[in-house]
Every structure is written in structure tokens, then in C-alpha cells.
């Protein structure tokens, strides 16, 4: 497998893209105006303890208090939990922390929405080859290192090198690495830990003790191995910094770092901008012609698989099987790319063959093995849905790059023109109820204006008859479908003058949209929802014509082709 790392630096953000065999598999974005907190170490102050929730809230000096669950409140390894006395955890939260207490904690999950960050007292410092665990006396080796002889060698080195009061985990990239390189990495981590301890002794809670390094360092730290063939960066300053980093992390790999000296960014040069923008869309097309649809909710992510344009060449079962298999591999890539975590439910296309269903789950699991973030496939439910989970430590890509729609507030829908016209009529009634004004002019989206006016102005006349006052409606393309503005209220003559977007003698260039409903010889055009009845233009539908306004009425104007 050939791996590439592309680093694109812009005034607004830094983007790091990882490619495997030419295909984008991971994208990281870092913005100066946004903060990522995972990995940061704080001296926090316990605000309140909630025994019923087996948790407490800790003030870190951030916008919202962080959440410390009982499992993360004391430094105990997972395999030791079964030896704790019964109900020990429930009692522990009161014994381990108390309001006002200063505690050293590390953020393991970024704050999202209204939720504060999740924290742990099991502080870890990740390096290139090792992870230092100051709170426990433990040595472990990455499960991805499968050679038993190599595992024993690395564990022996770690046990010999580590301080008595600290633990170490040997990372996957340490496979085959010499002892001197491991020791250099450990020395770097111990230096960081000493600095954290010194700050902890001097500062008052809440205070930041250690900030995890930027996205470029993190990506290089976690990915720089023999499979990485090149690191290309389009900024000279970052190019020099990366050279310094690789000299520390992996001496001898300096020649893989390249500076993209061009006016266009590396991502534009590689024609990847459009592909990256597609990551924000719901629908992802498959090579076979099928597609997957990704929908996110507050509680989980739902992925639907469809055959789309793919009809296959043989029987239906084989067609569905091929589409599902390709979808499984693409879903694993999309989860990794978009960094989607939490509960995930996948609705694959139904298959009758048990062998095919088992093969599908195996393919999904194999594709997920390439992902460094832990994912667990729970199997297929009785409804034919695949349930799985993926660890969520930070905001997903769409949470980071998108914001909720200010109109639909996340529903994905807006009011129909009929619903909106009803609301506007109610607003007009309310505005005129206690007013001496003879007339009112409102501005709405053109499609809403058409409903308010009605065929031949029938709906508008009915409203005016009810109110006993004149109502003028003006359409505006700049107005949102759910937006309405009262432009003017008062004397009828003044309001009417403001209501008409055209006046006799005006010369305009417009597109003829359709023939007149009752007089097909004439054509209809619109100016911000205001109708132009153009004499003898019925045969010019779809064409632009220059017209002169002959006469202007309340809801439409007469015009002639020049």
C-alpha cells in the first residue's frame, strides 16, 4: 500500500489529507478560530458531585464544565475492574472527588453542542513510538503487532526503560525500531510530563497544563511509517517545520518531504477540492451505479444502501450482493473520512442468502480494520440492519465544517408556500388590527407572493374584503421562503406607488416564461414576482425580449415587445 500525506495551508485553515493508493481516506482540518481540546491536560476544580449519575462536573476554565464519569475518576486498568468490591464504583465517586478539589485531568472527547468535554484522570502522553501513562504501572504492546517474538522484544525494552511509577504502551509503528529510538521517544515524553507536573505545582485551578500539538504534528506522529512514500506541503514555513519534526520523529525520512512551489494549493493542483466538498453531502455514488445515503441524528447515524442505476447482468440476488459489497467498503471509508462516531445503523439491500449476509459482515469488518479508530460490528438484526459502533473522540467533519441551518434548525425542511401564505395573512391581520393605515405593502419570496395574490388577484381581493383595507404584495428573490417584511403602511396612494416595481414607459429585458393562461397569443414574464402580460409574445417562451411597460396595475402590468 502506497500512502501519501498532503498538507495545504491557507489563511483560514490547515488541511491534511491522507491518501492510500491514490484514494482519500482521511481528512483533518484545523482552524485558527476553532479549538480542538482532545489531549489537553488541565488542573480542574470539581464543581459538584452527582452520586446518582456516578459522575461529577469539573471546571476547566472553558465555556462549559467538563464531565468526569466514575470509570475515569481513578487510575485503574480495565482488566483490574472485576477485582473491585461490589458497588465500589458507586461509592467511589464520593470518596475520590469532592467539591472544590483540584484534580489533574485530560480531555478525551471534545465538547459538542450543549455538552461539555468528557475528561479522565488517567492522563496519557502519546509519542512517536510510545504512549506514556504516568498514572499506572503497566506495560502493553499494540495488538496490531502480531509477531510474538517482536512483541516480547518490545515489551522487554519497555519494562527496562520505564520509570517505576509510570506505564508504557508500545505503538504499532515501533515494530522493528531500535532500542535507542524508543529511548529517545521516552525521554521526550518524560520531559513533557515533568513540565506538566511543574505547572501543576505552581498554578491555581482551573488552568491549562499541556496543550496537545497541532494537527500536522498529530498526523505525522500517528502515520509516519515505511508505507508513507511522500509528504507534500504547499507552504514554505510549514515545510521547514515539518522537516524539523521528521528529523525528531523519524530520522532518515527527510527526503520524503516535498515543498509544492506553485501559486495554486496542492489540493487544487491534485484536483481534489471538488472531491473533498462532496464529503459534506448526504449521497455518495458507488462505481457500480448504486449509492449510499448518510443521515445523522442526535443519537445515531443511519446509512441507507440503494442499487440506484445499477441493474446488474445476472439474477437479482447477485446484483444486490455486488452492490452491498461495494457499499460496505465505501461505508468504512466514509466513516473514517468524515470521522463519524457513536451508534451507526446500516440498511443494506435485503439478501436471502445467509452466505452472502455473512460475507457482507466480514467485508465490512475487514474494511474497518484499516481504521485506527476502534469500530465494532455487532451483526445483522432480525430486520436485516447492520448495527455497529465507532469510537467518537472529536467532532465529525460535518459538525466541524457546517453549522445548523438558521431557518430549518436541522429538520432539513422549510414551510411550503401555502403554509407560509397563511402565516403572512395572519401577520397582515395583526399589523392592521389596531392601525389607521389605509394600506399595507409586504415583501415575500416570489413563490409565496404568487399564492397570496392568487389567480387574477382573487386571493388578494378576498383578504382585502375581509380587512376593509388595501393590501399590496411584492415578491423578492432575495427574501427567504420563510421570511416576510412589512415595507410600508399608511396612505393608499403612497403605498401603491411603492408597491409597483415598474411604471409606464420603463424599458426592460425579460425572459418570457409561459403563454398567458386565457390568451395564449400573449406571453407572461415576471419581475420579482410581479407579472408582466406581454402582448403577442406567446411564441417567444424561453426567449429574452426587450419590452416597454404600457400600463401598470396592482398585481400586473401590460407590456409590448419593442
Amino acid at each position: 500500500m502506497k500512502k501519501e500525506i498532503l498538507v495545504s495551508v491557507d489563511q483560514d485553515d490547515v488541511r491534511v489529507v491522507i491518501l492510500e493508493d491514490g484514494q482519500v481516506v482521511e481528512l483533518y482540518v484545523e482552524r485558527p478560530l476553532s479549538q480542538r481540546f482532545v489531549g489537553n491536560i488541565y488542573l480542574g476544580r470539581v464543581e459538584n458531585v452527582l452520586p446518582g449519575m456516578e459522575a461529577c462536573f469539573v471546571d476547566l476554565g472553558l465555556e462549559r464544565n467538563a464531565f468526569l464519569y466514575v470509570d475515569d475518576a481513578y487510575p485503574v486498568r480495565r482488566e483490574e475492574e472485576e477485582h473491585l468490591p461490589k458497588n465500589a464504583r458507586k461509592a467511589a465517586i464520593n470518596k475520590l472527588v469532592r467539591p472544590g478539589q483540584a484534580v489533574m485531568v485530560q480531555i478525551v472527547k471534545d465538547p459538542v453542542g450543549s455538552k461539555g468535554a468528557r475528561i479522565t484522570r488517567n492522563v496519557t502522553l502519546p509519542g512517536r513510538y510510545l504512549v506514556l501513562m504516568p498514572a499506572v504501572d503497566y506495560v502493553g504492546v499494540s495488538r496490531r503487532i502480531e509477531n510474538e517474538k517482536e512483541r516480547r522484544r518490545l515489551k522487554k525494552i519497555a519494562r527496562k526503560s520505564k520509570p517505576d511509577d509510570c506505564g508504557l504502551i508500545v505503538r504499532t509503528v515501533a515494530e522493528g525500531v531500535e532500542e535507542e529510538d524508543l529511548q529517545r521517544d521516552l525521554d521526550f515524553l518524560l520531559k513533557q510530563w515533568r513540565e506538566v507536573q511543574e505547572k501543576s505545582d505552581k498554578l491555581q485551578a482551573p488552568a491549562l497544563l499541556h496543550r496537545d500539538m497541532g494537527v500536522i504534528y498529530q498526523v505525522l506522529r500517528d502515520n509516519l511509517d515505511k508505507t508513507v512514500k511522500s509528504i507534500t506541503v504547499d507552504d514554505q514555513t510549514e515545510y521547514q517545520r515539518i522537516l524539523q519534526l521528521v528529523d525528531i520523529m523519524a530520522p532518515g525520512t527527510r527526503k520524503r518531504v516535498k515543498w509544492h512551489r506553485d501559486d495554486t494549493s496542492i489540493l487544487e493542483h491534485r484536483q481534489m477540492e471538488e472531491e473533498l466538498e462532496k464529503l459534506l453531502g448526504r449521497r455518495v455514488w458507488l462505481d457500480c451505479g448504486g449509492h449510499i445515503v448518510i443521515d445523522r441524528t442526535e443519537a445515531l447515524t443511519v446509512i441507507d444502501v440503494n442499487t440506484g442505476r445499477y441493474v446488474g447482468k445476472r439474477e437479482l440476488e447477485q446484483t444486490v450482493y455486488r452492490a452491498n459489497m461495494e457499499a460496505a467498503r465505501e461505508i468504512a471509508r466514509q466513516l473514517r473520512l468524515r470521522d463519524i462516531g457513536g451508534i451507526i445503523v446500516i440498511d443494506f439491500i435485503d439478501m436471502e442468502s445467509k452466505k452472502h449476509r455473512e460475507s457482507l459482515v466480514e467485508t465490512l469488518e475487514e474494511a474497518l480494520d484499516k481504521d485506527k479508530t476502534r469500530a465494532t460490528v455487532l451483526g445483522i438484526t432480525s430486520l436485516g440492519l447492520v448495527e455497529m459502533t465507532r469510537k467518537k473522540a472529536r467532532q465529525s467533519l460535518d459538525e466541524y465544517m457546517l453549522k445548523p441551518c438558521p431557518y430549518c434548525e436541522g429538520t432539513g425542511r422549510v414551510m411550503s408556500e401555502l403554509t407560509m401564505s397563511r402565516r403572512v395573512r395572519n401577520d397582515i391581520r395583526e399589523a392592521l388590527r389596531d392601525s389607521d393605515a389605509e394600506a399595507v405593502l409586504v415583501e415575500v419570496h416570489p413563490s409565496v407572493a404568487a399564492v397570496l395574490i392568487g389567480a387574477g388577484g382573487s386571493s388578494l381581493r378576498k383578504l382585502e374584503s375581509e380587512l376593509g383595507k388595501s393590501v399590496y404584495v411584492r415578491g423578492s428573490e432575495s427574501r427567504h421562503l420563510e421570511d416576510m417584511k412589512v415595507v410600508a403602511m399608511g396612505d393608499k396612494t403612497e403605498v401603491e406607488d411603492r408597491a409597483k416595481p415598474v411604471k409606464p414607459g420603463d424599458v426592460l429585458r425579460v425572459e418570457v416564461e409561459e403563454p398567458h393562461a386565457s390568451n395564449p397569443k400573449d406571453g407572461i414574464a415576471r419581475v420579482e414576482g410581479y407579472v408582466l402580460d406581454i402582448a403577442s409574445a406567446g411564441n417567444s417562451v424561453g426567449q429574452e425580449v426587450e419590452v416597454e411597460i404600457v400600463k401598470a396595475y396592482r398585481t400586473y402590468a401590460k407590456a409590448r415587445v419593442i
Side-chain angles (χ1 to χ4, degrees):
M1 177 180 63
K2 180 184 177 183
K3 187 183 290 186
E4 298 176 80
I5 298 177
L6 307 180
V7 180
S8 181
V9 181
D10 189 79
Q11 63 180 10
D12 297 321
D13 57 30
V14 175
R15 290 179 292 173
V16 183
V17 177
I18 299 177
L19 299 95
E20 292 178 356
D21 296 328
Q23 187 178 47
V24 180
V25 293
E26 292 182 36
L27 169 64
Y28 298 87
V29 182
E30 184 176 69
R31 290 178 174 164
L33 298 179
S34 302
Q35 271 192 292
R36 181 176 182 269
F37 299 98
V38 170
N40 290 359
I41 301 174
Y42 293 83
L43 185 65
R45 183 177 62 246
V46 178
E47 287 289 295
N48 51 343
V49 180
L50 308 173
M53 293 182 63
E54 300 183 8
C56 69
F57 287 97
V58 181
D59 179 12
L60 305 181
L62 303 179
E63 185 178 347
R64 291 179 297 276
N65 287 343
F67 181 80
L68 179 65
Y69 185 57
V70 65
D71 279 358
D72 301 312
Y74 48 88
V76 58
R77 297 197 304 273
R78 186 70 58 187
E79 60 268 25
E80 294 175 347
E81 289 183 1
E82 60 186 35
H83 302 300
L84 291 174
K86 192 175 182 180
N87 296 326
R89 286 191 219 165
K90 197 160 189 176
I93 195 68
N94 289 319
K95 294 180 178 178
L96 289 170
V97 292
R98 63 184 184 278
Q101 179 183 350
V103 290
M104 184 187 295
V105 294
Q106 186 172 37
I107 293 182
V108 294
K109 185 176 180 181
D110 273 329
V112 178
S114 60
K115 298 178 181 178
R118 181 164 177 173
I119 55 178
T120 180
R121 293 180 73 180
N122 289 286
V123 173
T124 61
L125 289 171
R128 173 75 184 123
Y129 303 115
L130 304 169
V131 177
L132 181 66
M133 302 184 297
V136 295
D137 183 9
Y138 170 75
V139 170
V141 178
S142 169
R143 293 177 181 176
R144 292 177 182 257
I145 300 177
E146 298 177 352
N147 186 292
E148 281 302 321
K149 183 177 180 181
E150 178 65 3
R151 291 179 65 86
R152 288 194 297 270
R153 181 185 78 90
L154 292 171
K155 185 170 284 190
K156 181 179 179 181
I157 294 172
R159 283 175 175 162
K160 183 177 71 172
S161 304
K162 80 174 189 66
D164 293 337
D165 56 348
C166 288
L168 284 179
I169 293 178
V170 182
R171 308 185 71 182
T172 307
V173 292
E175 187 171 9
V177 172
E178 297 296 327
E179 182 174 350
E180 300 82 53
D181 295 323
L182 297 176
Q183 185 62 53
R184 183 167 55 247
D185 197 36
L186 177 59
D187 292 342
F188 172 71
L189 295 175
L190 290 173
K191 179 183 176 183
Q192 282 189 322
W193 175 237
R194 284 193 294 270
E195 291 173 352
V196 170
Q197 289 178 305
E198 289 172 3
K199 287 184 178 180
S200 178
D201 293 336
K202 295 177 182 177
L203 300 177
Q204 296 290 321
L208 174 66
L209 303 179
H210 169 78
R211 187 186 300 279
D212 201 19
M213 296 190 183
V215 67
I216 296 176
Y217 171 84
Q218 294 168 21
V219 171
L220 293 178
R221 178 190 68 196
D222 297 340
N223 294 274
L224 187 55
D225 56 27
K226 59 185 178 182
T227 65
V228 176
K229 305 303 179 185
S230 64
I231 304 163
T232 309
V233 58
D234 58 15
D235 179 83
Q236 185 179 12
T237 302
E238 289 298 336
Y239 169 71
Q240 296 296 335
R241 288 187 66 238
I242 290 173
L243 287 177
Q244 296 172 0
L245 286 173
V246 298
D247 283 343
I248 296 171
M249 294 180 183
T253 60
R254 186 185 181 93
K255 60 183 179 181
R256 303 184 202 174
V257 183
K258 302 172 183 178
W259 175 19
H260 174 71
R261 309 184 187 207
D262 198 279
D263 292 337
T264 61
S265 73
I266 181 61
L267 300 182
E268 287 183 75
H269 179 74
R270 295 287 292 269
Q271 298 180 335
M272 297 178 63
E273 290 285 5
E274 185 177 348
E275 181 178 357
L276 295 180
E277 285 185 11
K278 289 180 180 178
L279 295 178
L280 302 176
R282 291 176 63 235
R283 182 167 301 193
V284 180
W285 287 98
L286 306 174
D287 291 338
C288 69
H291 64 268
I292 62 175
V293 179
I294 304 172
D295 284 314
R296 304 203 54 223
T297 71
E298 185 75 20
L300 51 80
T301 299
V302 179
I303 303 176
D304 187 37
V305 181
N306 298 280
T307 54
R309 299 188 297 262
Y310 180 54
V311 295
K313 297 181 179 179
R314 300 180 186 176
E315 66 274 10
L316 177 62
E317 178 74 12
Q318 194 64 29
T319 300
V320 169
Y321 176 65
R322 284 198 58 192
N324 277 340
M325 293 293 276
E326 184 179 341
R329 289 185 284 267
E330 183 60 31
I331 287 169
R333 186 174 83 99
Q334 291 294 325
L335 295 178
R336 186 177 171 191
L337 256 174
R338 301 172 187 236
D339 204 9
I340 296 173
I343 301 171
I344 301 160
V345 177
I346 308 171
D347 185 8
F348 285 103
I349 309 165
D350 291 340
M351 296 185 296
E352 295 182 3
S353 170
K354 181 180 178 181
K355 181 179 179 181
H356 283 172
R357 292 196 298 269
E358 292 174 348
S359 177
L360 176 64
V361 173
E362 289 175 5
T363 298
L364 180 61
E365 289 175 333
E366 289 174 4
L368 290 168
D369 282 342
K370 300 176 183 178
D371 191 349
K372 292 189 295 294
T373 302
R374 187 173 70 251
T376 304
V377 179
L378 304 175
I380 301 180
T381 70
S382 58
L383 295 176
L385 305 174
V386 172
E387 295 179 335
M388 64 169 290
T389 61
R390 185 174 183 270
K391 185 179 178 182
K392 183 178 178 69
R394 61 189 179 105
Q395 289 181 312
S396 61
L397 192 63
D398 61 348
E399 289 173 326
Y400 193 75
M401 298 186 70
L402 302 177
K403 69 175 186 178
C405 171
Y407 293 98
C408 74
E409 295 182 346
T411 66
R413 296 171 180 267
V414 293
M415 288 186 183
S416 68
E417 288 83 356
L418 287 170
T419 305
M420 187 58 197
S421 66
R422 186 185 304 114
R423 178 202 273 185
V424 173
R425 283 194 294 269
N426 289 337
D427 289 346
I428 291 173
R429 292 186 185 103
E430 185 66 27
L432 293 175
R433 178 169 292 141
D434 300 318
S435 173
D436 295 330
E438 297 176 340
V440 61
L441 168 62
V442 298
E443 185 178 87
V444 294
H445 189 271
S447 61
V448 177
V451 176
L452 284 168
I453 294 170
S458 58
S459 297
L460 203 56
R461 286 195 298 271
K462 186 177 180 180
L463 180 62
E464 289 180 322
S465 176
E466 173 197 331
L467 296 172
K469 298 185 179 183
S470 297
V471 178
Y472 296 87
V473 178
R474 184 167 72 195
S476 174
E477 291 288 352
S478 63
R479 188 69 56 189
H480 189 273
L481 188 66
E482 292 187 348
D483 194 15
M484 185 275 279
K485 179 182 179 182
V486 175
V487 178
M489 285 178 62
D491 179 75
K492 180 180 177 180
T493 304
E494 294 178 359
V495 173
E496 185 174 9
D497 287 341
R498 294 191 62 181
K500 298 174 184 176
V502 297
K503 61 182 184 296
D506 286 351
V507 175
L508 310 170
R509 190 162 189 84
V510 295
E511 181 181 343
V512 181
E513 298 178 7
E514 56 190 347
H516 194 287
S518 58
N519 184 11
K521 290 183 179 180
D522 289 355
I524 295 297
R526 290 178 175 83
V527 178
E528 296 289 359
Y530 185 77
V531 175
L532 302 185
D533 181 356
I534 309 171
S536 304
N539 294 327
S540 300
V541 174
Q543 300 177 25
E544 280 196 357
V545 294
E546 194 169 27
V547 301
E548 180 185 8
I549 304 301
V550 177
K551 193 166 185 179
Y553 301 94
R554 292 187 52 204
T555 59
Y556 79 102
K558 288 281 190 180
R560 67 177 184 86
V561 177
I562 297 177

